[in-house]
Amino acid sequence: LDLPYAVKGMDVSFSGLLTKAESLSTRAKRTYDRNAPLPPPEACLASDASASDDDEYTDADVCLTLQETCFAMLVETAERAMSHTGADSLLLVGGVGCNKRLQAMAEAMCAERGAICHATDERFCIDNGAMVAWAGWNQYNAWRVGASDTSDEAAMKAFPVSNGFCTQRFRTDDVYAGAWRNLEEEGDEPTAKKAKS
């Protein structure tokens, strides 16, 4: 099945991917036994290599194609990053990092490059909410270093909830984290007392 595949440098675009998958899913022509064991992805992909949107397919075929397309884009950009940086290892984290198929694809790519792929334990492959909270904690601690009043009231004034926002096209490489990095390089916990001395 043909789904949009958009990789430009280190950026991936999933634009149109779900729309096309939904369109294919509504046109699925045959049913399948939900209790039957699924064949391995490699077998499905080999038989689907010459398939077109006019051939018979199931919702399961659409789902597999969606997964493989997304993961191929992620592995391609990971390989490009490793090539540009000379890295000899890859670490998969986050909720998607739990997926065994993504791990297998990344391991195969790393093996071809003579690199090592590390997939963290599922306890650490969780939604990125903890990472967002940690970034907030670091921002708060960076503010606290230079603040004369570190009370809860002062913190609420410095970081009002009404200032919160979400930018869908936010680029993590545009984030200024200099204050946090300086604290980490010093190896010290930020404290208001240290800032005054």
Side-chain angles (χ1 to χ4, degrees), residues 114-181:
I116 299 169
C117 180
H118 304 278
T120 59
D121 185 289
E122 286 189 12
R123 294 174 297 166
F124 306 108
C125 285
I126 306 173
D127 189 296
N128 291 338
M131 291 181 241
V132 172
W134 184 249
W137 179 250
N138 284 328
Q139 183 177 1
Y140 168 75
N141 280 332
W143 162 79
R144 197 174 63 164
V145 166
S148 57
D149 179 4
T150 59
S151 67
D152 289 345
E153 293 79 19
M156 291 302 290
K157 287 180 184 174
F159 302 103
V161 175
S162 60
N163 284 356
F165 63 93
C166 177
T167 304
Q168 286 187 323
R169 300 199 185 281
F170 191 73
R171 294 186 52 96
T172 55
D173 54 345
D174 288 340
V175 176
Y176 174 72
W180 310 344
R181 289 186 181 140

Side-chain angles (χ1 to χ4, degrees), residues 1-2 41-53 55 61 64-65:
L1 299 173
D2 187 30
E42 297 79 18
C44 297
L45 293 172
S47 65
D48 286 347
S50 62
S52 73
D53 292 356
D55 293 333
D61 296 324
L64 178 65
T65 304

Side-chain angles (χ1 to χ4, degrees), residues 23-105:
S23 172
L24 290 170
S25 180
T26 60
R27 297 189 334 245
K29 297 176 182 165
R30 62 179 192 231
T31 60
Y32 58 95
D33 181 0
R34 292 183 186 272
N35 297 320
L38 292 175
E42 297 79 18
C44 297
L45 293 172
S47 65
D48 286 347
S50 62
S52 73
D53 292 356
D54 295 328
D55 293 333
E56 288 189 356
Y57 55 87
T58 67
D59 284 337
D61 296 324
V62 175
C63 291
L64 178 65
T65 304
L66 178 62
Q67 172 182 275
E68 294 295 308
T69 301
C70 291
F71 289 173
M73 293 184 340
L74 295 176
V75 171
E76 179 183 334
T77 55
E79 183 175 22
R80 187 169 289 117
M82 292 174 73
S83 178
H84 284 291
T85 62
D88 60 0
S89 62
L90 175 68
L91 176 62
L92 294 177
V93 297
V96 177
C98 289
N99 188 290
K100 298 297 182 195
R101 178 62 182 148
L102 175 60
Q103 291 175 10
M105 291 173 74

